[in-house]
Amino acid sequence: MSCHRMFCALSALLLSACSTLAPVDHNNDALRVECHWDLQYPSVAPADATLAQLRETATRRLGALNLNAQWELNSEGATAEAFTDSEPDRQRLHRLLSVVLPGMERYPSAFFANVRLHNIVLVKELAVGGQRRLAMPMAEVDSVAYADNSAKLCPAGMEMRVHHEFYHFIDYREHDDYYHADPAWLAMNPAELTYGKGGASFYGKNLQDVGHAKPGVVSLYSSYGQEEDKAETFGWMMTPDYAARLDLYVMQDAHLAAKLRHMRAQFRKYSQPADARNSSATGL
């Protein structure tokens, strides 16, 4: 691995938007206050589907978006396990797919081609440096990983994490760095907003990620770093249950409204077919 590839791999491992320190008790889920626990996502396969059938479903539906389903994680500093054909593992994979697949299907296939995302890695028991994660961007290998860690998470909260972590990948593609100063984004902040010490500093304190905790940010977690602010705004925008609340927040917050307009423009930009984007860039 080149020095550049190793650096971006290590940077990806430091992102902690989807960490969870206690994977069994949902009361330790940082999103528990904002999640609507009664909102369920449709099943993607029959309840008695085999591991092979679940994998075929994921392969087919992701393939329609020109994405590859992968079942093992190969990333320095991170560990994960493959799903087995046991009843508990089939249930866990089914639960994961029921959120990840519709989440990915909210994008046109052109979007993934434009940001050069090729692989969706689906695993269990994901950990990075010993810290449990539910997702991880891996721009150095054109991939994003999603995991079931036995956590009792509401589906909408997991979908928000799907989009949040994907935006870290997009942000890396735009700036060639997971951590960077973005003057255009910072200019949308209210003067009194200062960021914290990064997403990793949020965890281990049993904090809750509540919505619109202060002016200019969609959630408390957004205030922990510019990279988290961008990913949270995008994640809320892309998750229908969260987007409904975001639409209410922006009615009272001009700074957050500007950030939402920026993210909607991002979505439109990357949703265009490559030839349309090239024509736009050249003024044709």
Side-chain angles (χ1 to χ4, degrees), residues 13-265:
L13 301 184
L14 291 172
L15 290 168
S16 57
C18 298
S19 303
T20 174
L21 295 178
V24 175
D25 182 358
H26 76 259
N27 290 325
N28 286 321
D29 178 15
L31 291 177
R32 70 177 182 265
V33 173
E34 289 297 338
C35 276
H36 291 159
W37 290 83
D38 57 346
L39 177 63
Q40 298 300 310
Y41 284 41
S43 296
V44 299
D48 61 352
T50 65
L51 179 67
Q53 289 171 328
L54 290 169
R55 285 186 169 188
E56 189 281 327
T57 296
T59 298
R60 173 173 45 81
R61 289 177 61 168
L62 291 174
L65 300 170
N66 295 320
L67 294 172
N68 302 312
Q70 295 187 347
W71 306 103
E72 294 184 358
L73 182 73
N74 230 340
S75 181
E76 185 174 347
T79 60
E81 299 175 15
F83 290 100
T84 68
D85 200 10
S86 66
E87 178 62 23
D89 271 17
R90 289 194 296 270
Q91 291 180 3
R92 292 173 67 181
L93 177 56
H94 201 160
R95 178 173 59 183
L96 183 63
L97 295 180
S98 293
V99 174
V100 172
L101 294 180
M104 291 290 97
E105 288 167 345
R106 301 197 194 283
Y107 305 84
S109 58
F111 196 107
F112 303 119
N114 286 328
V115 299
R116 305 192 309 283
L117 175 67
H118 299 311
N119 310 304
I120 300 296
V121 183
L122 299 156
V123 290
K124 65 176 183 176
E125 309 303 341
L126 174 64
V128 180
Q131 185 185 54
R132 299 175 73 83
R133 304 283 179 94
L134 293 167
M136 182 176 69
M138 300 183 292
E140 69 282 1
V141 289
D142 306 329
S143 308
V144 179
Y146 297 112
D148 185 291
N149 282 1
S150 298
K152 293 181 180 178
L153 305 173
C154 69
M158 182 60 193
E159 186 186 346
M160 199 280 285
R161 289 169 163 103
V162 167
H163 303 297
H164 175 120
E165 212 67 22
F166 180 35
Y167 195 79
H168 284 311
F169 179 101
I170 297 167
D171 211 20
Y172 181 89
R173 287 294 193 233
E174 288 213 322
H175 299 277
D176 202 31
D177 187 6
Y178 289 113
Y179 303 94
H180 57 277
D182 184 344
W185 185 265
L186 296 174
M188 292 184 273
N189 283 338
E192 66 274 16
L193 178 63
T194 57
Y195 289 124
K197 298 181 179 180
S201 64
F202 181 87
Y203 292 93
K205 304 169 186 173
N206 200 29
L207 296 174
Q208 286 299 295
D209 188 14
V210 296
H212 206 206
K214 57 182 70 175
V217 294
V218 69
S219 69
L220 176 63
Y221 190 64
S222 295
S223 67
Y224 274 68
Q226 174 198 273
E227 68 284 352
E228 304 302 349
D229 190 12
K230 296 169 84 172
E232 281 283 281
T233 306
F234 188 79
W236 280 62
M237 179 188 78
M238 291 301 301
T239 307
D241 185 53
Y242 283 75
R245 283 169 278 169
L246 175 56
D247 287 340
L248 295 176
Y249 297 160
V250 300
M251 294 174 66
Q252 303 174 353
D253 188 332
H255 297 280
L256 185 55
K259 292 178 177 180
L260 178 57
R261 287 194 297 271
H262 173 85
M263 285 303 176
R264 286 174 172 166

